[in-house]
Amino acid sequence: LLFPVSNLCGKCRPMDTDLLQPSLNFLYWSLHQTTPCSQQRAVAVLLSNVSLLQILQKVLEHTWFRSPCSEHVYLSSEDALLCSGWLLVASLLMYQHRYNTEVHQTLSLDVTEVLNAVIFRKKKPILLLVSIMQFLRAVLQQNFSSSLLVIVDENTAEGATQPQLSSLQDAALHPLAMRQVFSLVVSLQNLLVHKDVVLSQAVVACLETLVEYLYVKNQDVALHVASQPWHRFLLFTLLSGGQKSFLQPEVLRLMTLFLRYQSINIISQKEISQILQEAAEANLAELPEATSHALHLFLCQV
């Protein structure tokens, strides 16, 4: 079925939502629901379809021109198609890297546009933000060097072969700039305050991957980002309200992140003791899987 469905996608126009969106969903789930052996073949089939990749390029570009809507309404058909497109491309990036699959057509994206989609949200639906962050994680994990993706950024002068960078830090973080990093971190912090479960999981995962990327590029910058005093206020905000327990997946993962990068001004021995005390008193067998996994990572880091 991958052949006819992917060929069908290639014959669609970018906004043929009724046909294109379920087709992209089928391709996405075909990648994720199959066996590892079949998965490698499925990736090869999709990456060899030039017309499919061309239509994906056009779908993603519509993200910058979508009409803003309220974050609390149901997804429009246009936004649902954008979600499907970003998730499928993120998966293709991940699996192409895993299997080193041959690429017949590259995708081109402006990294500034992708970052601004998260930083300046303009009432994007939560699921669209989650989908874009999934893509952002994939490119960060691959150090912006996927053979499937051509990254364009505003720090590269038009027609020049060498990037025009404003500082040594920007040079180390290229294609990101320091101002973009801090804007993204602030935006991710603000999104966590929404306390939406799906959004929180995506935000924490994106923050983890971002700091890992920074640590490889410039350890001083990574440690500076991880030790921002605002993080402590963010933790207090997440622990306010009805559920004050430290045993929340996003809280545990943030604590683990701060421990990993030795942010002693953010998490203290007192908080570590409180988490250990809550874990000792909890019925571990009844904890949700996400909480259990996050607690395991936290204890290993301790």
Side-chain angles (χ1 to χ4, degrees):
L1 278 172
L2 282 178
F3 284 104
V5 175
S6 58
N7 287 333
L8 184 63
C9 291
K11 295 176 181 178
C12 291
R13 293 173 299 173
M15 287 294 108
D16 286 341
T17 54
D18 290 345
L19 187 58
L20 199 50
Q21 201 258 336
S23 298
L24 295 183
N25 282 353
F26 173 79
L27 300 180
Y28 174 83
W29 283 111
S30 295
L31 286 177
H32 286 269
Q33 296 276 346
T34 189
T35 62
C37 178
S38 297
Q39 188 178 69
Q40 185 171 0
R41 290 160 52 202
V43 174
V45 167
L46 298 185
L47 291 181
S48 66
N49 193 317
V50 173
S51 59
L52 169 65
L53 295 173
Q54 288 173 337
I55 197 69
L56 280 173
Q57 171 86 57
K58 294 175 182 177
V59 167
L60 298 190
E61 288 172 351
H62 270 77
T63 306
W64 328 132
F65 310 111
R66 61 176 290 280
S67 303
C69 61
S70 170
E71 293 185 23
H72 303 289
V73 301
Y74 291 108
L75 278 179
S76 67
S77 58
E78 176 190 1
D79 288 331
L81 174 59
L82 294 177
C83 290
S84 300
W86 284 106
L87 289 174
L88 178 57
V89 171
S91 299
L92 288 173
L93 282 169
M94 180 175 64
Y95 293 131
Q96 187 280 328
H97 179 74
R98 178 181 299 177
Y99 300 117
N100 194 26
T101 311
E102 183 181 358
V103 174
H104 296 259
Q105 172 76 27
T106 58
L107 299 172
S108 176
L109 281 174
D110 187 330
V111 67
T112 301
E113 293 278 18
V114 176
L115 293 172
N116 286 349
V118 179
I119 296 169
F120 306 109
R121 297 184 292 278
K122 296 180 182 177
K123 295 186 177 179
K124 288 185 179 64
I126 283 174
L127 285 178
L128 180 54
L129 283 171
V130 168
S131 303
I132 296 173
M133 281 189 280
Q134 189 77 354
F135 169 85
L136 186 57
R137 283 189 66 211
V139 293
L140 284 168
Q141 287 169 340
Q142 295 178 33
N143 198 24
F144 292 96
S145 60
S146 170
S147 56
L148 175 59
L149 196 63
V150 176
I151 294 292
V152 181
D153 72 279
E154 65 177 18
N155 296 318
T156 302
E158 185 176 354
T161 56
Q162 296 296 324
Q164 307 298 307
L165 302 164
S166 58
S167 70
L168 291 176
Q169 285 182 330
D170 285 353
L173 302 180
H174 185 72
L176 300 184
M178 278 293 295
R179 59 179 177 76
Q180 291 175 320
V181 169
F182 280 109
S183 295
L184 179 60
V185 170
V186 170
S187 183
L188 292 175
Q189 291 172 331
N190 290 337
L191 286 172
L192 267 179
V193 177
H194 285 249
K195 296 186 178 181
D196 179 274
V197 175
V198 175
L199 183 61
S200 295
Q201 291 174 348
V203 168
V204 174
C206 191
L207 190 58
E208 290 169 339
T209 306
L210 175 63
V211 179
E212 288 170 6
Y213 171 85
L214 295 175
Y215 193 78
V216 171
K217 293 288 190 176
N218 188 317
Q219 293 187 13
D220 290 338
V221 171
L223 296 176
H224 181 58
V225 168
S227 61
Q228 288 297 301
W230 179 257
H231 290 312
R232 186 159 182 81
F233 178 75
L234 175 64
L235 284 174
F236 285 130
T237 303
L238 293 175
L239 291 166
S240 66
Q243 188 177 12
K244 297 184 178 181
S245 169
F246 278 92
L247 298 186
Q248 302 173 49
E250 61 272 22
V251 172
L252 285 169
R253 288 174 66 181
L254 281 175
M255 293 286 200
T256 305
L257 181 67
F258 300 140
L259 274 177
R260 184 178 304 145
Y261 297 101
Q262 303 174 8
S263 306
I264 55 176
N265 63 322
I266 307 298
I267 178 171
S268 66
Q269 184 64 47
K270 179 182 177 182
E271 278 87 30
I272 295 174
S273 299
Q274 284 181 274
I275 294 174
L276 296 177
Q277 183 65 34
E278 284 193 31
E281 295 172 355
N283 185 339
L284 299 182
E286 295 181 358
L287 289 179
E289 183 179 352
T291 303
S292 180
H293 180 64
L295 180 59
H296 172 77
L297 294 177
F298 174 81
L299 294 174
C300 288
Q301 188 63 51
V302 170

